[in-house]
Amino acid sequence: MIDLEFNKNEDAMLLMVSEVQHKLEKIALGGGKDRIDKQHADGKLTARERIKQLIDPGFDFFEIGAFAGFEMYKEHGGCPAAGVVTGLGKIEGKLCMIVANDATVKAGAWFPISGKKNLRAQEIAMENRIPIIYLVDSAGVYLPLQDEIFPDKEHFGRIFRNNAKMSSMGITQIAAIMGSCVAGGAYLPIMSDEALIVDRTGSIFLAGPYLVKAAIGEDVDQETLGGATTHCEISGVTDYKMPDDKTCLETIRKLVSKIGASEKAGFDRKASIKPKMNPAELPGVFPYNPSKPYNMLEIINRLVDDSEVTLYKEDYGKSILCGYARIDGWAVGIVANQRLVVKNAAGEMQFGGVIYSDSADKATRFIMNCNQKKIPLVFLHDVTGFMVGRRSEHGGIIKDGAKMVNAVANSTVPKFTVVIGNSYGAGNYAMCGKAYDPRLIVAWPSAKIAVMGGTQAAKVLTQIQVSALNKKGAAPDPDGEQKLFEEIKNRYEDQTTPFYAAARMWVDAIIDPRKTRDFISIGIEMANHGEVEKFNPGILQT
């Protein structure tokens, strides 16, 4: 029997997945084919080619921040992938964070979003205590935007602070100088534990030949000033002199292979079992129409092992589903919004992803249970916010919502967030949005992240603007008001797309829904290298 609704959903989602892939292919070209050819002519591999040679054959590199900088800095010629490729890869069987400057994009110069992306990569390495590998090929700070990247707490200097912190934490840092490494950027590889440098293509100095000439009147060429021979034979700044990129990457693999095993966090894992319900059906199960109801269990059953989930308080607080399951063998606690139409005494009521008081209460208790049992949490977003209105306010929705937010904020087990649909307002916070420290956060192509939906926001903003025009005696006619509404709505909805969110690093990646199990599995494997602090529920104790 043909399910037309399933087919419509599938067609819509696969079209969105195709759009994501098309954009990624363009981003992967970095500064363009001509600059890639020049990099090859200089005897250098590109950032992505370096990563491919560095990681274990057959491992699917999980890129983080591929859309960083997307459609930003247009007046500066753009900054594909923020000019740096970051992500998780296995090297000699060991999961590592990899950071590789893309010299085809403005010579690898650092834009403000580049700094944010690098800090995110370091944050992931620090939280999960995994080695971090830097493949350095950068001209340093992008000077036209230096005021937006140089002096503040979360700017360029924070990277070196993190270098120092990771050293004190015992997190291995290996840096390969595979191109230019100038000024403040020179500190990153040398503050790492070990540094390799590629002969004739790698160079490192606080000031280049031109600046040296301007500052002290000394004439010196780049190789003499800061090439591989200088730093491996004279200054002793670097540890390994490499003849080419290939040898350099092979040597990194050898160094990583010697790293001893770290103590694991101890998250429970059994043999992985494929879901009984096919994950390939996920695009057809999720409705392309954001106002249509569906059963979140249809999603969950295609994500969890053997399609088996033990629901917590199944008949209470039904607008949120909570349950224990396994994903690729890992034990998980799932918190997911439910968008169903149910009947009550007043007739039909659509949940629509709204969080009610009883749902918030249930989720709070479940999150506390997972912390007590040391079970990682997975949040599946399709939330329009907390319920509003007299009845909800009288019922204490603010207090119940605050308790849920508090539980999420104080949770110490690793949290992983997947935005599959709407993620609006305080619902984003309660469901572990970016501000609540998920170890990783990703979006499906269908995701929308904003304070509220486009239509509602446009109505509010239109009313405000019309009111202002009325006071000036210039009230628009109905057609003019509708035109104003459409302009505001279109502008607002452009800011709710997953591309807009990923460009600003509000999410780490936009993924194909069929890859969700893989994302959660590698995330928990990564987190298992870290530590879990004792859970302190804070205000919840009262």
Side-chain angles (χ1 to χ4, degrees):
M1 181 178 177
I2 297 174
D3 187 334
L4 292 179
E5 199 66 30
F6 181 96
N7 290 346
K8 287 180 182 178
N9 293 340
E10 186 176 50
D11 289 347
M13 179 63 81
L14 293 182
L15 192 61
M16 288 188 282
V17 169
S18 177
E19 182 185 6
V20 170
Q21 189 57 41
H22 176 72
K23 287 177 169 30
L24 286 173
E25 288 170 2
K26 188 174 180 181
I27 288 169
L29 293 174
K33 190 175 183 304
D34 288 346
R35 291 184 182 176
I36 291 173
D37 291 343
K38 184 180 184 305
Q39 185 114 333
H40 289 162
D42 291 338
K44 296 161 64 176
L45 299 172
T46 65
R48 294 178 186 279
E49 289 168 343
R50 288 167 176 166
I51 291 172
K52 187 175 181 180
Q53 287 201 18
L54 179 62
I55 64 175
D56 293 346
F59 183 84
D60 192 6
F61 180 66
F62 180 70
E63 187 169 352
I64 290 169
F67 280 98
F70 179 70
E71 294 189 339
M72 295 169 65
Y73 309 111
K74 291 180 180 178
E75 66 276 23
H76 297 276
C79 186
V84 59
V85 184
T86 64
L88 297 167
K90 282 193 175 177
I91 303 172
E92 294 292 323
K94 293 179 172 65
L95 193 61
C96 299
M97 171 57 67
I98 301 169
V99 178
N101 299 115
D102 185 351
T104 70
V105 180
K106 296 289 193 295
W110 294 55
F111 282 66
I113 194 66
S114 313
K116 188 172 185 178
K117 183 171 177 178
N118 276 266
L119 288 172
R120 176 60 176 151
Q122 289 184 319
E123 177 186 40
I124 290 170
M126 292 169 77
E127 278 187 328
N128 301 287
R129 293 181 176 269
I130 58 174
I132 183 166
I133 314 298
Y134 305 101
L135 307 180
V136 186
D137 193 349
S138 171
V141 168
Y142 183 64
L143 291 177
L145 297 173
Q146 65 85 26
D147 62 321
E148 297 180 40
I149 188 174
F150 172 65
D152 210 344
K153 181 179 178 180
E154 299 296 330
H155 282 179
F156 193 63
R158 186 79 171 182
I159 294 167
F160 314 136
R161 175 264 188 194
N162 287 349
N163 286 140
K165 285 288 187 182
M166 280 190 277
S167 281
S168 71
M169 294 168 68
I171 297 169
T172 300
Q173 300 176 83
I174 298 173
I177 301 155
M178 308 182 80
S180 181
C181 190
V182 186
Y187 287 107
L188 184 147
I190 306 312
M191 291 187 74
S192 299
D193 301 305
E194 294 181 282
L196 306 86
I197 185 168
V198 180
D199 194 21
R200 297 294 165 185
T201 57
S203 59
I204 179 169
F205 30 65
L206 294 182
Y210 294 115
L211 184 53
V212 168
K213 175 68 174 176
I216 63 173
E218 180 181 7
D219 287 307
V220 61
D221 64 84
Q222 184 162 305
E223 274 299 307
T224 303
L225 183 63
T229 299
T230 293
H231 287 309
C232 286
E233 299 180 19
I234 300 173
S235 73
V237 165
T238 52
D239 306 307
Y240 306 93
K241 182 179 179 181
M242 299 286 106
D244 51 40
D245 279 13
K246 183 174 183 292
T247 308
C248 183
L249 297 168
E250 289 172 351
T251 304
I252 294 173
R253 289 182 59 83
K254 290 175 183 177
L255 294 173
V256 171
S257 73
K258 309 298 190 299
I259 299 173
S262 59
E263 186 177 343
K264 298 294 190 289
F267 303 124
D268 188 66
R269 191 180 198 185
K270 293 185 176 179
S272 178
I273 302 174
K274 291 182 179 180
K276 287 180 181 175
M277 302 179 77
N278 192 353
E281 296 173 348
L282 283 168
V285 172
F286 186 78
Y288 71 95
N289 184 337
S291 65
K292 283 201 171 186
Y294 67 97
N295 190 348
M296 179 62 82
L297 271 176
E298 293 292 320
I299 303 288
I300 294 172
N301 284 332
R302 288 168 173 80
L303 296 177
V304 302
D305 290 13
D306 207 30
S307 298
E308 182 181 317
V309 57
T310 303
L311 292 175
Y312 173 78
K313 291 184 179 290
E314 183 176 359
D315 298 318
Y316 176 74
K318 290 186 176 182
S319 71
I320 286 184
L321 292 178
C322 298
Y324 301 105
R326 291 187 183 274
I327 294 179
D328 196 25
W330 295 104
V332 296
I334 297 172
V335 181
N337 304 115
Q338 180 68 294
R339 199 206 297 174
L340 279 175
V341 173
V342 298
K343 289 186 178 180
N344 60 13
E348 285 195 339
M349 177 182 68
Q350 184 170 327
F351 281 150
V354 176
I355 302 175
Y356 292 81
S357 284
D358 54 357
S359 305
D361 175 66
K362 177 171 82 170
T364 300
R365 293 169 186 239
F366 181 74
I367 290 165
M368 293 173 69
N369 286 347
C370 287
N371 274 269
Q372 184 185 47
K373 298 175 182 178
K374 205 159 76 170
I375 300 174
L377 285 158
V378 175
F379 293 84
L380 303 177
H381 283 222
D382 192 359
V383 58
T384 53
F386 286 92
M387 190 59 190
V388 297
R390 183 178 63 182
R391 184 175 177 182
S392 293
E393 297 293 357
H394 290 186
I397 186 67
I398 295 175
K399 184 176 182 180
D400 291 321
K403 285 185 176 181
M404 182 176 174
V405 169
N406 191 287
V408 173
N410 282 300
S411 177
T412 56
V413 294
K415 297 166 289 192
F416 301 91
T417 299
V418 186
V419 184
I420 71 173
N422 299 323
S423 186
Y424 294 154
N428 172 276
Y429 301 158
M431 292 294 293
C432 196
K434 184 64 183 290
Y436 289 79
D437 299 321
R439 295 292 178 97
L440 292 172
I441 175 171
V442 297
W444 285 8
S446 47
K448 290 184 178 295
I449 302 172
V451 172
M452 64 180 74
T455 300
Q456 296 93 321
K459 285 179 180 177
V460 172
L461 293 170
T462 301
Q463 288 169 8
I464 292 171
Q465 290 200 25
V466 168
S467 177
L469 290 169
N470 280 333
K471 289 178 181 178
K472 295 177 181 178
D477 58 29
D479 288 342
E481 186 172 331
Q482 181 61 30
K483 183 180 178 182
L484 180 62
F485 168 78
E486 292 296 335
E487 287 176 355
I488 294 172
K489 181 173 179 286
N490 291 338
R491 185 171 68 247
Y492 189 91
E493 287 192 339
D494 284 343
Q495 297 176 1
T496 70
T497 69
F499 301 113
Y500 193 90
R504 289 151 184 83
M505 296 293 294
W506 301 344
V507 295
D508 293 316
I510 304 172
I511 66 168
D512 184 327
R514 296 166 294 188
K515 298 286 187 181
T516 306
R517 269 174 62 86
D518 298 337
F519 151 71
I520 295 169
S521 178
I522 195 170
I524 301 177
E525 180 183 349
M526 170 190 75
N528 201 35
H529 290 82
E531 297 177 349
V532 178
E533 298 175 8
K534 184 178 179 180
F535 176 62
N536 182 357
I539 194 174
L540 296 173
Q541 292 174 333
T542 62

